[in-house]
Amino acid sequence: MFTQFGATAESLSKASTMVFRIGTDAHLYDDPDDVNIAPLLDSKFDSEKCEALKRLLALIAQGFDVSNFFPQVVKNVASQSIEVKKLVYLYLLHYAEKRPNEALLSINYFQKDLGDTNPLVRAWALRTMAGIRLHVIAPLVLVAVSKCARDPSVYVRKCAANALPKVHDLRLEENTAAIEELVGFLLNDNSPGVIGAAAAAFASVCPTNLSLIGRNYRRLCETLPDVEEWGQIVLIGILLRYAIARHGLVKESIMLSSRDLENIASENGASDTYQKGNEDSNAYFGLKESNADLTNGVCKSEVVDIVSRSYLEGPDKYLSKHRCADVLSSELEGLHFTSAKDNEDIKILLLCTSPLLWSHNSAVVLAAAGVHWIMAPKEDIQKIVKPLLFLMRSSNSSKYVVLCNIQVFSKAVPSLFAPHFEDFFMSPSDSYQVKALKLEILSTIATESSISSIFQEFQDYVKDPDRKFAADTVAAIGLCAQQFPKVANTCLEGLLALASHESTYGDNAATDGEAIVLLQAIYSIKAIIGKDPSSNEKVIVHLIRSLESIRVPAARGMIIWMVGEYSDIGNVIPKVLPVVLKYLARCFTVEEVETKLQILNACGKVLLHSKEEELWAYRKVLSYMLDLARCDLNYDIRDRARFIKELLSCYIGSSDTEEGKAQQESRDVSRVLAGRIFGGQIKAPSSEQFSARFYLPGSLSHVVLHAAPGYEPLPRPCSLNFEDPSINSNIVEGAKRPGDGATQSESYTDDPDSVSGSLNEESTSDYSYADSIGGSDGTGGSNVSSSLSEVDVHKEPLIHLSEVGYPNANPDGGSHVDNQYSGSNNLGELISTRSLESWLDENPNSGHNLSEPSSIRKSSARISIGHIHGRVEPKICALLDPANGNGLSVDYAFSSELSSLSPLLVCLQVSFKNCSTEPMMNLQLVEDNKRQDSSDHASAMTESSSHGDVPSLVPMEEIANLGPSETINIMLQVRFRHHLLPLKLVLWCNGKTYPVKLRPDIGYFVRPLPMDIGVFSAKEAQLPGMFEYTRRCIFTDHIGELKKGDKPGTNDQFLVICECLAVKVLSNANFFLVSVDMPVSANLDDASGLRLRFSGELLSNSVPCLVTLVLEGTCFEPLNILVKVNCEETVFGLNLLNRIVNLLAEPARG
């Protein structure tokens, strides 16, 4: 009506929104397609760069892909602004794995920042380096972590501890000992923040190496209250495991039942005084059967025993053998125990975890309570009650976790929470899961003095609108009635009244949700009657009279079961049985299946227990019901009728006095069998605790009731080696803890082999890359090239002896590369790697001292394998399966032939085979034009501009006819857009199309590059550092070949190993075998030092690619192979390295 007011209101709304946005970064999320980001990144002002980087991070938070800005962002890593540097590091952490080639270019800046005077910059640089998950820089990251672990800044040392799990995730098996030693060094730190991060690293890297904890155990306990909350949770678990592995369980704790302790004490010669004291302690806790306020004391002791065994063995292992009592008893006797009164380590653990019981973090409280539950003496375990009850005032999710733990505690020791039963009464805000746990706990901790108050609460819960919760309350009432016989009659009266009330709903009970309450009430009545059937005859009669009003099939079935089970009890039930059976016979046809089955069973039991004067009437009723059941539509009813008729044939059959002896024996057997099935005593149901699963307190497995990933039970008591001299020491001997007031220079020079100097100064020492890990192995001497052509092995010698010098060889025959990777476990030896330290200390202009003359020359044998070409078999891959191609089978294998059309084309041998009985027409492979997206098309156009217009598939000549069982081989030339992405093609056959994919093999993206050993060494020396990648693998194919021993010409062990390696590499990659060198050793079984060299160049840009394999080990054992790739193309080199490692580690086919 007044539009101007509406416009004014809208304007005011916009204005108020703008006012609230002033001073915030909300505008960064406005325009996802902002074109001003790129110019801002290239700006010379740091404020504009910060604005652009904030917008990029905002886009990342919204899920947009902004990896196309990666080169411009990496360029800003050299900025002097701390804010810009921090934002760049955040961006790099997000996209480093997607763009590893560009991320490696920024490594030099990270190394420079490790020497920055600002500890924040040093920490950010280390965190970013550890976030780049590449094996090629893992040694650099490890040395950087070792330096930062000695940094004077607490924050930097904490970041070093957080980086250790990331380095460990790279699976660097050769550096595992060094990583563990770093964890132990950081656990020796004085700062609580560092100790918390080191504890998390210990749990991730080496959770079983508890000797590292023994060196610092008491100091870790003393520092525990000052560690951050989440670090406290991890550290508490570690300290608990160490205490058990070192000293064993505490004999005064609740984890050992009185019966087991008495047996063990008697066997160990314990005094009667100790046994008496232990019994008094158990009596105080209510574990003895004689306690007047608690029932089933022995059962509770059994629960304690089950809980303790589950903690030590794991629930799955325990439940699989819990019936073997002798085995369990012998295992318990073999354990070791300690006393909390005499053991100082246990005392200090309990003392330092006591303040944490009142922590603000619920998880810390649960962890501390778990320690006291397992290790504290029984008289001190009361400390955990009030903290746990206080946690119940938190949120529903936390309350549920706490109640799950209290549930187990109350099952084992009901008296622990019995005085606090009112804390488990329901709250209106409780969820159903919380209410169910509270009901179970209340039924467990109820005593004779509190049962009346609990029953008053239960009366209100039965009226709850949530009928499922009401049914659970009825079940709890039944459990309490079974535990306290004095209130059983009162419970029965209330349950009968409830059953009568619920049965008035008639047929609508199931739809209204009342059926579950009625069913549970009948079930509870049945359980109570089972305790003393003879005194509850009137209750059974009352249920029989209510049969006509109860229409729930399951409830009717239970009542009918009680009719048959207790048919011979008392005086009233036998009198009403004829009327009840006639009523059931009249209603049989309209009953549900489960009710019919119970009627047949009940009639059989009644007939079995009947007297002679009633036998004829019951036999007539049963015969009538069996006749009805034989015509029933349900096959279960028909089968049950046949079974009962044959089983009770001796009762319902005619008595023939002239029956034979065999027939009489058969009737006797049927009579005995019927008595066993229908007349046997019902065994009391086993306690539910025997099938329950108990997990450590506070663990996720304890809540989800199954072993969550990473869950481990407690270690075996006293399983830690007592002979370790460092276990009882509080600090690492010979090492100086960081943060003791040392200067920055001293923190880096506490070990003679570690790097010296301040982080503020750049190292000026010369850098020789020949000494680096994975460095070059230049080899001089005679030049012998290995031919791939077939030659006669008898005309040319296979081994030529020569003098070959290894410039970087060690006196024991291995190169420096091998020595570094197979070095000792000493941390100092790893840190002393001068090449990596020089790189980290930023000396990029240092020269590579490659011309240093070698003082070591060693005799070696150069093996010439000229006949290997005939054994090279390319791997055959399936392109189209006959089942999917209507009988057409298409296979392909990469060929070593080179295309004459373009260097970008890869040749494949494609085989077409007709596996059907019908001829196939017009077969052709064509390119799928719809496969390229915009990015692929752009990259393809870029490559085409430099290499000409090369198609993805050279047109194939059509196969006009392919007869049955006929095979045609053709040579196909394709161009893969990427060495990891498949090429999508379409196969035409008989007018139909079949989409197929050609999967590339990176080994055929190179062509052989013939060269001699001198040229190979020269090119290898030109490709050091970032262009060199190494990994290790285990090779086993030679073992089978050596064990055959029947091949002519392969009796030499080294020759067989070289042939196996060369054949496997050349069968999966298009390389040239340059040389095979082996040091001559006195040990004829030692293959260490055997070296194979392969050379090739990339098809796309003719960049050289060199591969070196260096062997370690003996001939008849698995060999440890160091694989080294030298290539300027970083991504290609890393992927090729992974491909070679995988194929060498893969067992030979056939």
Side-chain angles (χ1 to χ4, degrees):
M1 183 174 178
F2 302 100
T3 57
Q4 64 274 17
F5 293 107
T8 303
E10 183 179 357
S11 303
L12 288 175
S13 177
K14 291 182 179 180
S16 61
T17 303
M18 293 299 296
V19 169
F20 284 116
R21 289 162 61 95
I22 293 176
T24 67
D25 291 334
H27 64 282
L28 299 175
Y29 298 85
D30 290 340
D31 189 6
D33 301 323
D34 192 353
V35 296
N36 296 324
I37 294 179
L40 290 176
L41 289 173
D42 296 332
S43 174
K44 59 182 180 180
F45 299 106
D46 291 337
S47 60
E48 295 182 353
K49 292 180 181 180
C50 287
E51 181 72 15
L53 289 170
K54 287 180 180 180
R55 293 189 182 184
L56 289 178
L57 294 177
L59 293 175
I60 291 175
Q62 297 178 75
F64 292 98
D65 183 11
V66 291
S67 59
N68 54 313
F69 294 99
F70 199 93
Q72 293 174 280
V73 175
V74 170
K75 181 179 61 177
N76 290 307
V77 75
S79 174
Q80 298 300 320
S81 172
I82 295 180
E83 187 175 2
V84 172
K85 195 180 293 289
K86 179 180 179 180
L87 296 174
V88 170
Y89 282 162
L90 292 175
Y91 181 91
L92 291 179
L93 276 176
H94 189 79
Y95 284 112
E97 292 186 12
K98 296 182 180 179
R99 306 288 290 270
N101 198 9
E102 289 86 348
L104 288 175
L105 298 177
S106 58
I107 292 295
N108 290 334
Y109 295 104
F110 299 153
Q111 297 156 5
K112 183 177 180 180
D113 288 342
L114 287 174
D116 196 274
T117 56
N118 192 330
L120 293 177
V121 176
R122 298 199 298 271
W124 295 339
L126 178 63
R127 185 173 61 176
T128 308
M129 283 188 67
I132 303 176
R133 308 295 180 88
L134 295 177
H135 285 81
V136 65
I137 65 169
L140 300 177
V141 178
L142 184 58
V143 177
V145 172
S146 66
K147 289 185 63 176
C148 293
R150 294 162 172 79
D151 195 278
S153 172
V154 173
Y155 183 66
V156 177
R157 299 201 301 272
K158 181 178 178 181
C159 288
N162 291 329
L164 283 175
K166 301 177 183 178
V167 179
H168 181 262
D169 288 342
L170 295 178
R171 300 294 186 266
L172 302 177
E173 289 81 5
E174 63 272 13
N175 294 328
T176 301
I179 296 175
E180 293 183 4
E181 197 68 24
L182 278 174
V183 173
F185 181 81
L186 290 169
L187 285 172
N188 194 38
D189 200 277
N190 275 338
S191 172
V194 178
I195 289 179
F202 176 88
S204 177
V205 174
C206 50
T208 59
N209 190 3
L210 295 174
S211 60
L212 297 177
I213 305 299
R215 306 172 187 173
N216 313 281
Y217 174 77
R218 297 192 179 182
R219 194 175 52 79
L220 290 176
C221 290
E222 295 170 356
T223 314
L224 178 61
D226 299 324
V227 177
E228 60 181 351
E229 293 177 346
W230 299 111
Q232 287 175 345
I233 300 169
V234 179
L235 189 56
I236 288 173
I238 294 173
L239 294 175
L240 172 63
R241 291 177 183 275
Y242 170 79
I244 293 177
R246 178 67 176 86
H247 303 288
L249 294 175
V250 177
K251 57 188 177 184
E252 300 94 353
S253 68
I254 194 64
M255 289 294 100
L256 299 175
S257 62
S258 59
R259 179 192 58 200
D260 294 330
L261 272 180
E262 185 177 352
N263 295 335
I264 297 171
S266 61
E267 292 183 3
N268 295 336
S271 62
D272 296 338
T273 304
Y274 166 73
Q275 294 179 4
K276 182 179 180 181
N278 189 43
E279 290 175 0
D280 293 340
S281 178
N282 285 337
Y284 169 80
F285 243 160
L287 293 179
K288 296 194 65 177
E289 192 174 8
S290 59
N291 193 309
D293 201 32
L294 293 174
T295 59
N296 297 330
V298 177
C299 177
K300 301 307 179 183
S301 295
E302 292 177 357
V303 175
V304 171
D305 186 56
I306 295 170
V307 171
S308 61
R309 295 184 191 277
S310 298
Y311 288 170
L312 291 173
E313 303 175 5
D316 296 330
K317 182 179 178 181
Y318 171 74
L319 290 176
S320 63
K321 61 178 184 180
H322 75 274
R323 295 183 180 180
C324 304
D326 297 335
V327 176
L328 295 177
S329 179
S330 62
E331 288 183 357
L332 183 62
E333 293 169 7
L335 299 181
H336 299 273
F337 307 100
T338 186
S339 174
K341 300 178 181 178
D342 303 330
N343 194 304
E344 295 298 328
D345 286 349
I346 303 299
K347 282 184 179 180
I348 192 173
L349 176 61
L350 296 175
L351 180 64
C352 295
T353 52
S354 294
L356 301 182
L357 291 172
W358 296 101
S359 173
H360 294 288
N361 192 311
S362 303
V364 176
V365 176
L366 280 179
V371 172
H372 286 260
W373 169 253
I374 296 173
M375 303 297 288
K378 298 174 184 178
E379 58 271 14
D380 296 336
I381 203 175
Q382 292 280 351
K383 292 180 180 179
I384 71 173
V385 176
K386 290 186 178 180
L388 292 177
L389 295 177
F390 183 78
L391 291 182
M392 293 176 56
R393 303 177 183 178
S394 55
S395 62
N396 275 333
S397 56
S398 299
K399 189 186 302 183
Y400 176 77
V401 176
V402 174
L403 286 172
C404 286
N405 290 271
I406 294 178
Q407 178 190 21
V408 177
F409 299 159
S410 62
K411 282 183 178 179
V413 189
S415 61
L416 200 60
F417 293 92
H420 309 278
F421 66 93
E422 294 180 350
D423 291 305
F424 298 98
F425 288 167
M426 306 304 155
S427 172
S429 61
D430 288 342
S431 62
Y432 168 75
Q433 291 78 10
V434 171
K435 290 180 180 179
L437 283 174
K438 285 186 174 181
L439 280 176
E440 187 171 356
I441 294 173
L442 282 173
S443 61
T444 303
I445 66 176
T447 61
E448 293 184 355
S449 59
S450 63
I451 190 65
S452 58
S453 301
I454 293 176
F455 274 169
Q456 289 179 1
E457 283 289 317
F458 284 173
Q459 291 177 7
D460 294 332
Y461 300 160
V462 171
K463 304 173 185 178
D464 194 276
D466 185 356
R467 304 314 293 162
K468 188 176 181 181
F469 170 63
D472 292 341
T473 305
V474 173
I477 293 174
L479 290 176
C480 294
Q482 296 177 54
Q483 293 180 14
F484 304 99
K486 294 183 180 181
V487 297
N489 292 332
T490 305
C491 293
L492 281 175
E493 293 177 1
L495 292 174
L496 287 174
L498 179 63
S500 301
H501 172 74
E502 301 295 338
S503 62
T504 57
Y505 285 87
D507 297 335
N508 296 327
T511 58
D512 294 339
E514 303 295 338
I516 186 174
V517 179
L518 173 62
L519 185 62
Q520 188 59 59
I522 300 297
Y523 182 83
S524 298
I525 294 172
K526 171 188 167 185
I528 298 173
I529 292 175
K531 292 288 185 178
D532 188 11
S534 58
S535 60
N536 293 297
E537 181 185 8
K538 294 182 179 180
V539 179
I540 300 175
V541 174
H542 186 279
L543 290 175
I544 294 174
R545 290 178 178 175
S546 62
L547 263 177
E548 193 168 358
S549 60
I550 296 176
R551 307 309 306 169
V552 179
R556 291 175 62 85
M558 279 191 286
I559 296 175
I560 295 171
W561 179 88
M562 285 186 281
V563 170
E565 186 68 22
Y566 308 121
S567 58
D568 57 343
I569 293 177
N571 299 322
V572 181
I573 294 179
K575 294 180 181 178
V576 301
L577 275 178
V579 179
V580 174
L581 292 181
K582 291 179 182 179
Y583 166 76
L584 295 177
R586 185 171 64 253
C587 303
F588 185 84
T589 56
V590 297
E591 296 287 354
E592 297 293 335
V593 173
E594 52 186 326
T595 308
K596 290 180 180 179
L597 293 174
Q598 292 299 334
I599 291 175
L600 293 177
N601 293 340
C603 290
K605 293 178 182 180
V606 169
L607 182 64
L608 193 64
H609 298 150
S610 60
K611 300 178 181 178
E612 290 294 335
E613 59 272 14
E614 302 170 347
L615 185 61
W616 181 84
Y618 293 152
R619 183 188 302 167
K620 186 175 181 181
V621 174
L622 179 59
S623 299
Y624 174 74
M625 289 188 183
L626 291 177
D627 291 338
L628 292 177
R630 288 176 57 190
C631 302
D632 199 273
L633 297 178
N634 189 278
Y635 62 85
D636 286 334
I637 304 298
R638 299 194 298 269
D639 291 345
R640 182 67 60 87
R642 296 189 189 98
F643 171 74
I644 293 177
K645 184 175 182 180
E646 293 297 329
L647 187 64
L648 301 179
S649 58
C650 57
Y651 293 96
I652 62 179
S654 60
S655 59
D656 190 358
T657 58
E658 298 180 357
E659 62 184 359
K661 182 177 180 180
Q663 190 173 2
Q664 181 64 32
E665 292 179 355
S666 176
R667 287 181 177 272
D668 294 340
V669 171
S670 299
R671 186 176 290 105
V672 173
L673 187 59
R676 290 285 186 180
I677 295 177
F678 289 120
Q681 294 293 329
I682 301 298
K683 294 183 179 181
S686 59
S687 178
E688 71 166 322
Q689 286 86 355
F690 287 100
S691 61
R693 295 176 178 269
F694 298 108
Y695 295 91
L696 291 175
S699 64
L700 175 64
S701 304
H702 193 80
V703 178
V704 299
L705 298 180
H706 65 81
Y711 176 82
E712 289 292 338
L714 293 175
R716 184 171 180 81
C718 298
S719 59
L720 194 60
N721 185 13
F722 288 87
E723 299 178 358
D724 189 351
S726 65
I727 286 182
N728 293 324
S729 61
N730 291 332
I731 61 173
V732 181
E733 297 181 1
K736 190 171 184 180
R737 288 197 300 265
D740 285 337
T743 62
Q744 190 172 6
S745 176
E746 290 174 348
S747 66
Y748 285 92
T749 58
D750 49 354
D751 188 274
D753 294 329
S754 62
V755 179
S756 61
S758 173
L759 283 176
N760 299 331
E761 299 177 0
E762 297 183 1
S763 174
T764 58
S765 60
D766 291 337
Y767 170 65
S768 175
Y769 207 85
D771 295 332
S772 65
I773 291 180
S776 59
D777 311 330
T779 304
S782 60
N783 299 329
V784 180
S785 62
S786 301
S787 173
L788 295 178
S789 60
E790 297 184 11
V791 295
D792 190 353
V793 296
H794 301 288
K795 294 182 181 180
E796 182 180 353
L798 297 175
I799 301 177
H800 302 278
L801 292 177
S802 62
E803 291 289 333
V804 181
Y806 293 91
N808 302 316
N810 291 325
D812 54 355
S815 66
H816 198 278
V817 178
D818 309 327
N819 186 33
Q820 290 295 335
Y821 273 89
S822 60
S824 67
N825 295 334
N826 190 0
L827 177 64
E829 294 182 15
L830 177 69
I831 303 175
S832 64
T833 309
R834 293 298 179 182
S835 59
L836 296 180
E837 294 291 341
S838 300
W839 199 354
L840 285 175
D841 281 342
E842 267 303 302
N843 190 8
N845 299 323
S846 59
H848 304 277
N849 189 9
L850 298 173
S851 60
E852 180 182 355
S854 174
S855 60
I856 300 175
R857 299 185 64 85
K858 186 175 180 66
S859 298
S860 69
R862 180 157 297 150
I863 305 176
S864 177
I865 310 176
H867 65 288
I868 199 174
H869 182 69
R871 296 178 55 188
V872 174
E873 297 179 358
K875 181 180 178 181
I876 299 176
C877 305
L879 185 63
L880 182 64
D881 188 80
N884 298 326
N886 294 329
L888 176 61
S889 175
V890 183
D891 298 329
Y892 69 95
F894 286 88
S895 174
S896 59
E897 296 185 15
L898 300 178
S899 173
S900 58
L901 300 178
S902 171
L904 299 178
L905 295 175
V906 180
C907 296
L908 295 89
Q909 189 75 22
V910 184
S911 174
F912 296 84
K913 182 178 180 181
N914 187 355
C915 300
S916 65
T917 58
E918 305 252 346
M920 297 184 178
M921 315 290 291
N922 303 328
L923 281 77
Q924 189 178 19
L925 275 170
V926 297
E927 183 180 359
D928 185 5
N929 295 326
K930 299 180 180 180
R931 67 178 181 84
Q932 288 188 352
D933 56 14
S934 59
S935 61
D936 291 339
H937 183 69
S939 62
M941 293 301 296
T942 303
E943 294 183 5
S944 298
S945 62
S946 58
H947 296 283
D949 189 8
V950 181
S952 296
L953 175 65
V954 175
M956 165 193 163
E957 184 178 353
E958 184 180 71
I959 301 176
N961 187 7
L962 184 64
S965 302
E966 183 181 358
T967 302
I968 296 180
N969 298 323
I970 64 168
M971 184 64 68
L972 198 65
Q973 300 183 41
V974 299
R975 178 196 176 191
F976 293 96
R977 301 293 175 179
H978 193 272
H979 54 265
L980 297 179
L981 301 178
L983 179 63
K984 296 182 180 180
L985 302 176
V986 174
L987 175 61
W988 286 85
C989 178
N990 293 335
K992 297 181 179 180
T993 60
Y994 302 95
V996 294
K997 288 183 179 181
L998 275 176
R999 302 196 177 275
D1001 190 338
I1002 192 173
Y1004 289 90
F1005 281 73
V1006 297
R1007 55 175 170 264
L1009 181 61
M1011 62 177 66
D1012 57 24
I1013 187 63
V1015 178
F1016 185 95
S1017 301
K1019 288 186 175 293
E1020 186 182 40
Q1022 297 172 3
L1023 298 172
M1026 294 176 57
F1027 305 128
E1028 184 174 278
Y1029 329 103
T1030 58
R1031 280 188 65 184
R1032 285 187 176 270
C1033 64
I1034 302 299
F1035 183 72
T1036 59
D1037 292 1
H1038 66 287
I1039 299 178
E1041 295 291 333
L1042 290 174
K1043 289 182 179 179
K1044 291 179 181 178
D1046 55 354
K1047 288 190 175 183
T1050 58
N1051 294 328
D1052 188 271
Q1053 298 174 1
F1054 300 123
L1055 184 59
V1056 173
I1057 295 174
C1058 294
E1059 287 181 353
C1060 291
L1061 275 171
V1063 167
K1064 193 149 193 179
V1065 174
L1066 295 178
S1067 296
N1068 293 272
N1070 200 10
F1071 279 114
F1072 175 78
L1073 179 60
V1074 177
S1075 68
V1076 180
D1077 294 340
M1078 178 193 65
V1080 177
S1081 175
N1083 186 1
L1084 300 179
D1085 193 37
D1086 187 9
S1088 299
L1090 194 67
R1091 189 183 305 265
L1092 286 80
R1093 297 180 176 89
F1094 301 88
S1095 62
E1097 60 181 2
L1098 274 64
L1099 294 178
S1100 58
N1101 51 15
S1102 300
V1103 171
C1105 184
L1106 310 179
V1107 178
T1108 305
L1109 308 181
V1110 183
L1111 280 66
E1112 291 181 3
T1114 56
C1115 293
F1116 288 91
E1117 299 292 336
L1119 293 172
N1120 191 354
I1121 300 181
L1122 173 66
V1123 184
K1124 182 177 67 173
V1125 175
N1126 294 82
C1127 183
E1128 293 182 11
E1129 294 289 339
T1130 305
V1131 177
F1132 183 88
L1134 289 171
N1135 290 326
L1136 178 63
L1137 175 67
N1138 294 331
R1139 170 67 176 140
I1140 295 175
V1141 168
N1142 292 334
L1143 70 92
L1144 291 180
E1146 181 182 358
R1149 293 172 294 174

